[in-house]
Amino acid sequence: VQPKSKKTLAKNGVKNVVVVEGVRIPFLQSGTTYADLMPHDLARAALQGLLNRTSVPRDVVDYIVYGTVIQEVKTSNVAREAALGAGFSDKTPAHTVTMACISSNQAMTTGVGMIAAGQCDVVVAGGTELMSDVPIRHSRKMRKTMLTLNRAKTLGQKLALISKIRPDYFAPELPAVAEFSTSETMGHSADRLAAAFAISRLEQDEYALRSHTLAKKAQEGGMLVDVVPFKVPGKETVTKDNGIRPSSLEQMGKLKPAFVKPYGTVTPANSSFLTDGASAVLLMSEEKALALGYKPKAYLRDFVYVSQDPKDQLLLGPTYATPKVLEKAGLTMADVDVFEFHEAFAGQILANLKAMDSDWFAQNYMGRKSKVGAPPLEKFNTWGGSLSLGHPFAATGCRLVITAAHRLKKEGGQYGLVAACAAGGQGHAMLVELYPQ
């Protein structure tokens, strides 16, 4: 389908960067099939899936960047370990980035910058997350004792240290999806945000049901072509996401609030679930892609990162990032054909849509004269989103970008807008332009 002729974006004297292909292994609910693996196993599977689909020679890749949020200490540079496991040359540099839910967005834009600057021609970027096996630490008292014990030279010194251990030393430090600066979970922030924008429980459940319904339709219709099968060692071959579960408003309404009890409106039904998964995209300069005989999917154009108050505006990154990236590119909301926003919570999405459509919010919080406007729902996350497909923190950004590219081709659009919020009150937006067909 030929895209409608629209505005042409300026190159600004840098190389055009294209995404040649993007893949992900199926996103699975945590505690299921991937539970016995490690983050680099999932990343390696995504890399191998990308290599199989593109047949790109490993020695052509100049650099690898991967994002992750919950780090496994044994493989702190998971990009390097995954690359070696996938058979890339030990001469290929790799590094890992972390930026909460936009970690693979950061991985991709790092690759874009390296290519645009002429440092590289081919970069693989991605993200991996294994929330089935998050590290649980001993208490600080126990860690300090064990480290001191390791340095003890005599049996007497060791016994003296052991004798100081008390029962409370054995209490573990359990992980939590909470903000370090505010000690508040993201779910609490979502609940407060929904209340601030007067978003009802019913509205949130309706949006979540929409996400699951559209995802099921896309899955059954063969739209989710970025998914590659993964043969889990010792287990079955996984071929599709397992969190897509359209229900009914009646059933969803029976679930109790998950965070603010008993009167909160955020529940398991309208929140993204804990997910394992990994993704990878192949980025090249346009010149290199054509020289190698590839037909790119899309240009990766302008992008921005934003930060705001991590308490009251933790999840409003898309609202702040969207007008900035459009202004950089000289576009308006009307020029965008496809919107792919990360769905952390239904309340978070609906709050962003309301904020984007509010002159008052734009004037009082963003220093803008007028609103940017809310995306029309007929262009918004029409193949489902994180609420239904799942959200392996660092893997989601690549899914958003490649879905935007596939939707542009399917629907005959030219520009797609990807946006996401992230812990710490940060956010990201990127413009994707369909490559001429």
Side-chain angles (χ1 to χ4, degrees):
V1 179
Q2 290 291 342
K4 299 183 289 292
S5 178
K6 288 190 176 181
K7 299 177 181 177
T8 301
L9 302 186
K11 297 180 182 179
N12 298 324
V14 299
K15 289 186 177 182
N16 279 328
V17 180
V18 295
V19 54
V20 172
E21 185 60 273
V23 303
R24 62 185 177 91
I25 61 172
F27 288 178
L28 303 186
Q29 289 188 313
S30 296
T32 57
T33 310
Y34 298 156
D36 296 327
L37 300 178
M38 293 180 66
H40 77 281
D41 293 318
L42 305 187
R44 182 183 67 241
L47 289 173
Q48 290 171 333
L50 184 68
L51 292 169
N52 292 339
R53 181 165 289 189
T54 62
S55 299
V56 63
R58 288 172 172 81
D59 59 0
V60 167
V61 176
D62 299 312
Y63 208 97
I64 296 171
V65 191
Y66 247 79
T68 195
V69 178
I70 302 175
Q71 291 197 352
E72 165 58 57
V73 295
K74 293 181 179 179
T75 56
S76 58
N77 187 2
V78 70
R80 177 64 169 171
E81 305 307 330
L84 292 174
F88 283 91
S89 167
D90 57 10
K91 306 298 183 186
T92 305
H95 81 268
T96 300
V97 298
T98 185
M99 203 173 181
C101 300
I102 51 177
S103 293
S104 63
N105 306 69
Q106 182 58 251
M108 285 185 288
T109 57
T110 296
V112 169
M114 296 175 79
I115 294 171
Q119 293 293 316
C120 300
D121 284 317
V122 182
V123 174
V124 172
T128 184
E129 214 68 58
L130 184 69
M131 299 177 73
S132 288
D133 185 28
V134 298
I136 298 175
R137 304 200 304 178
H138 282 289
S139 67
R140 180 177 288 272
K141 291 179 180 178
M142 178 61 86
R143 296 200 306 271
K144 184 177 180 180
T145 300
M146 293 172 71
L147 289 171
T148 306
L149 185 65
N150 192 50
R151 295 192 296 269
K153 299 184 181 300
T154 68
L155 178 60
Q157 290 174 333
K158 292 180 180 181
L159 290 174
L161 286 167
I162 293 173
S163 69
K164 294 180 181 180
I165 296 176
R166 297 293 179 263
D168 66 319
Y169 282 31
F170 293 95
E173 290 183 1
L174 299 177
V177 184
E179 296 295 304
F180 181 81
S181 59
T182 65
S183 299
E184 185 175 72
T185 67
M186 194 171 284
H188 278 88
S189 294
D191 235 324
R192 189 170 58 254
L193 194 64
F197 283 90
I199 300 165
S200 69
R201 162 82 177 265
L202 178 60
E203 287 177 293
Q204 294 174 61
D205 286 351
E206 286 175 340
Y207 182 85
L209 181 58
R210 172 190 187 268
S211 182
H212 280 273
T213 302
L214 292 175
K216 183 176 178 62
K217 182 179 178 181
Q219 189 178 68
E220 293 179 345
M223 303 298 188
L224 307 182
V225 294
D226 57 328
V227 179
V228 293
F230 176 28
K231 175 63 174 72
V232 180
K235 297 183 180 180
E236 73 271 24
T237 297
V238 187
T239 60
K240 62 181 182 180
D241 310 312
N242 73 354
I244 303 173
R245 296 177 182 174
S247 181
S248 68
L249 290 175
E250 182 182 6
Q251 290 296 320
M252 296 168 75
K254 294 178 181 178
L255 296 181
K256 295 180 179 180
F259 301 99
V260 178
K261 304 174 182 180
Y263 302 114
T265 58
V266 175
T267 74
N270 55 44
S271 308
S272 59
F273 48 89
L274 299 181
T275 316
D276 302 333
S279 56
V281 296
L282 179 60
L283 308 176
M284 295 186 184
S285 66
E286 182 181 20
E287 181 182 18
K288 185 69 171 182
L290 297 178
L292 292 174
Y294 289 104
K295 181 64 178 292
K297 290 184 179 293
Y299 294 106
L300 297 188
R301 295 299 194 184
D302 281 298
F303 60 87
V304 297
Y305 290 92
V306 296
S307 293
Q308 56 277 343
D309 173 17
K311 186 173 179 65
D312 292 331
Q313 298 189 355
L314 175 70
L315 304 173
L316 290 179
T319 297
Y320 284 86
T322 294
K324 288 188 175 183
V325 78
L326 289 174
E327 287 175 354
K328 281 189 67 180
L331 300 177
T332 67
M333 291 289 276
D335 295 312
V336 180
D337 304 292
V338 161
F339 294 88
E340 284 292 327
F341 280 27
H342 162 48
E343 300 170 345
F345 303 89
Q348 160 257 333
I349 283 291
L350 296 174
N352 273 279
L353 297 185
K354 283 195 173 185
M356 294 170 73
D357 205 33
S358 168
D359 283 324
W360 183 89
F361 188 88
Q363 293 162 5
N364 285 274
Y365 285 97
M366 301 175 66
R368 306 181 63 84
K369 294 181 179 179
S370 60
K371 63 188 180 184
V372 67
L377 281 183
E378 62 269 19
K379 297 181 179 181
F380 190 86
N381 290 13
T382 57
W383 292 357
S386 302
L387 287 169
S388 48
L389 299 171
H391 175 42
F393 292 157
T396 293
C398 292
R399 179 189 67 76
L400 295 172
V401 165
I402 205 65
T403 299
H406 287 159
R407 282 186 56 202
L408 286 171
K409 183 177 181 180
K410 182 77 173 178
E411 299 167 16
Q414 183 176 6
Y415 293 116
L417 176 61
V418 169
C421 59
Q426 303 193 99
H428 167 77
M430 177 191 286
L431 282 166
V432 179
E433 181 181 3
L434 182 69
Y435 197 81
Q437 302 299 296

